[in-house]
Amino acid sequence: MSDAIKHECGISVIRLLKPLEYYKEKYGSAFYGVNKMYLMMEKQHNRGQDGAGFASIKLDVDAGQRYMSRVRSCQQQPIQDIFAQINERINNELKEHPEYENDVALQKKNIPYIGELLLGHVRYGTFGKNSIESVHPFLRQNNWMHRNLIVAGNFNLTNVHELFDNLVQLGQHPKEMADTVTVMEKIGHFLDDAVAKLYKQIKKEGYSKQEASPIIAERLKVSKILRRAAKNFDGGFSMAGLLGHGDAFVLRDPAGIRPAYYYKDDEIVVVASERPAIQTVFNVPFEEVQELEPGNAIIIKKNGTTKIKEILEPRERKACSFERIYFSRGSDKEIYQERKMLGKLVFPQILNAIDHDIKNTVFSYIPNTAETSFFGMVKEAQNYLNKKKEEQILSIGAKITREELHEILEVRPRIEKVAIKDAKLRTFITQDDSRDDLVAHVYDISYGSVKEGDNLVIIDDSIVRGTTLKKSILRILDRLNPKKIIVVSSAPQIRYPDCYGIDMAKLEDFIAFRAALALHKENDSMHIIQEVYEKCINQVKSKDIDIVNYVKEIYAPFSAKTISHKIGQLLSPADIRAEVQIIYQSISSLHEACPKNLGDWYFTGNYPTPGGNRVVNRAFINFYEGKNERAY
Ligand SMILES: O=P(O)(O)OC[C@H]1O[C@H](OP(=O)(O)OP(=O)(O)O)[C@H](O)[C@@H]1O
């Protein structure tokens, strides 16, 4: 079996509803769609930096003429790389054939990439091979136009083995077990079946073979194909597909784990993983971009009719909260507010940690994502101080002197930019093997931003493995000689693997898990680990639906505070001078801050699909048996 490939990625689909001439006339270029796709992908580059892919389809071309193009890259700066390739090709064609310049029909006929239907993908392939074969979109080619399928997704399925076996039972011989291939072959199988049945039917009605083609395109029921193909998918997904003749779809998982948004007017239909990408690129207000509901697909037929269809019965909504905390861009109106709220809600814990001594405390953040929660935290510190100042002033009353008043008002939260990130990239979504070194060198500090003996409160969006703190941040902050460093995580403790698309796969990687183990060792309760292992082994053969997440029993004896305390000890380098304290958001505050994204399995162990419990069971067995393997 090849390494499973992960897809915590970003997708964009653009369908131009008017003839290409329209865009040339209105916007000055028939390459309008290509240009917009470039922007859509750039605006979602936060979702993946390991690879990028682009595919397009030209509608209504003559037989023998190429109508599908694809370009992929796993070079550094992959988005730039693919668009450099696309632009070079377009520019060369235009240079060699000046007659194309003002003739859209000739452009469409002779220049690749230009088309009415476009698909873009940015890939975050945090482990396994990062070769070009792993980069989306994937292509399933056929001489029959309708049977061509191009797929790209932001997804991870927990039951690839089972789906693979289904394909084998159908008599197929899939070339590998990667979930992308499995998904594509599943959809492809039912697409083939639907096309064959339609053809038979249409022939019976007396149409010739040639006449059949457009009729198939018209009658093909994408929703039915998706229903049959996705019936047994267990996981989180937003899956986009294009069919050779020009139909397109995006399907979202029934718990709404992975995000998908769309917008439609009379010129375009656009679907993306993040709302602000659509807002900015097409200049549309927040309210006009719709969320694709869980279990639904947006289906754009070749003739331009666009429908939202329920494909899979929606489950309880468990949209991923980590999208809100870290993964998505914070430019979304709601996400921006939610991140500020995370900073606000964690403030009472901070106040205790600094003993209410705001005067001798510097507030800061670890760039970049945590910047927004930092604003929320600081605002709350200001609110706290304002209340205190009111009380002080009122208690002195009218006899207050100017000096006294000045002294009271002078106390303000001291905010500084203490940590600097030298590279504009996301270390979390960087390949595992190169991450440690990257993290160690990517941060720097502002000297002189903290006085000796100050408390230093520094907020980060999440503390997952603790690498950022241990390998870099704590050591460099200590150079500023603070008395105490309080690291605040705007997210709760990550205790369980994610298996739906955010790369958090191995239990022993989590600093919270390592802290719980250390506590068991200290407390002489390692027998609990052994008991959990036995329970996990006993249910290996159970059906997914019957599997229980026994890993919860490892955390159960300890309060979140005890675990945070231990994390602080584990992450403090031996030679650090300052006292280190770690504070995590509580799960209830997380839900209060992000009320629409209650998916919290990595914090609580409550998986929204049965496959999740199997994954955590396997992850624990792997850990216990010392297998450095992923659990799905
Ligand atoms: O505890 P760890 O396992 O080290 O992971 C958590 C860190 O990783 C992310 O940083 P990243 O560099 O990806 O991104 P950012 O600049 O968007 O904050 C995140 O913001 C945390 O700082």
Side-chain angles (χ1 to χ4, degrees), residues 499-563:
C499 50
Y500 304 116
I502 303 281
D503 188 50
M504 301 190 279
K506 292 185 215 140
L507 269 169
E508 63 274 31
D509 281 352
F510 301 136
I511 190 63
F513 185 74
R514 296 209 299 272
L517 286 184
L519 287 165
H520 279 297
K521 264 190 208 131
E522 273 171 24
N523 293 2
D524 234 355
S525 52
M526 287 301 277
H527 60 94
I528 294 184
I529 312 291
Q530 168 77 24
E531 283 156 23
V532 169
Y533 173 66
E534 276 155 23
K535 288 180 186 169
C536 288
I537 287 287
N538 282 338
Q539 55 177 1
V540 164
K541 294 216 165 82
S542 305
K543 283 196 185 129
D544 287 358
I545 199 90
D546 299 325
I547 296 183
V548 175
N549 179 1
Y550 288 116
V551 178
K552 289 182 182 181
E553 294 180 6
I554 290 177
Y555 296 103
F558 313 114
S559 70
K561 214 170 153 192
T562 309
I563 292 177

Side-chain angles (χ1 to χ4, degrees), residues 326 366-370 421 425-429 435 443 460-468:
Y326 163 78
I366 299 174
N368 289 308
T369 301
K421 197 170 185 188
L425 48 77
R426 306 190 104 181
T427 65
F428 188 79
I429 61 170
R435 185 170 189 260
Y443 295 100
D460 200 354
D461 51 85
S462 54
I463 303 166
V464 185
R465 292 154 285 205
T467 323
T468 309

Side-chain angles (χ1 to χ4, degrees), residues 25 30 40 50 95 102 133 153 182 187 203 250 296 315 345 394 422 513 528 538 559 592:
E25 204 161 292
M40 289 293 293
D50 296 330
K95 210 154 73 202
N102 286 313
E133 287 84 44
T182 311
I187 301 174
K203 230 173 71 184
V250 175
N296 281 232
R315 292 167 163 269
L345 293 177
L394 288 175
D422 287 324
F513 185 74
I528 294 184
N538 282 338
S559 70
E592 190 183 335

Side-chain angles (χ1 to χ4, degrees), residues 30 50 72 90 108 142 155 172 202 248 256 263 311 321 346 375 417 434 449 466 471 501 505 554 601 623:
D50 296 330
R72 299 180 292 172
I90 293 174
K108 178 168 167 183
N142 196 291
F155 66 95
Q172 291 197 1
I202 291 164
Y263 167 77
I311 303 297
S321 54
V346 78
F375 289 135
K417 187 163 174 65
S434 50
S449 55
K471 300 260 172 204
I554 290 177
W601 49 92
F623 151 74

Side-chain angles (χ1 to χ4, degrees), residues 111-154:
I111 305 181
Y113 310 121
I114 182 172
E116 290 87 350
L117 188 54
L118 307 103
L119 173 62
H121 185 264
V122 288
R123 173 165 189 266
Y124 147 28
T126 48
F127 83 109
K129 47 186 185 229
N130 192 26
S131 64
I132 195 74
E133 287 84 44
S134 341
V135 180
H136 300 208
F138 286 76
L139 202 56
R140 188 179 192 262
Q141 281 176 299
N142 196 291
N143 246 1
W144 290 88
M145 206 180 209
H146 314 94
R147 296 191 188 200
N148 284 289
L149 175 64
I150 305 178
V151 172
N154 167 202

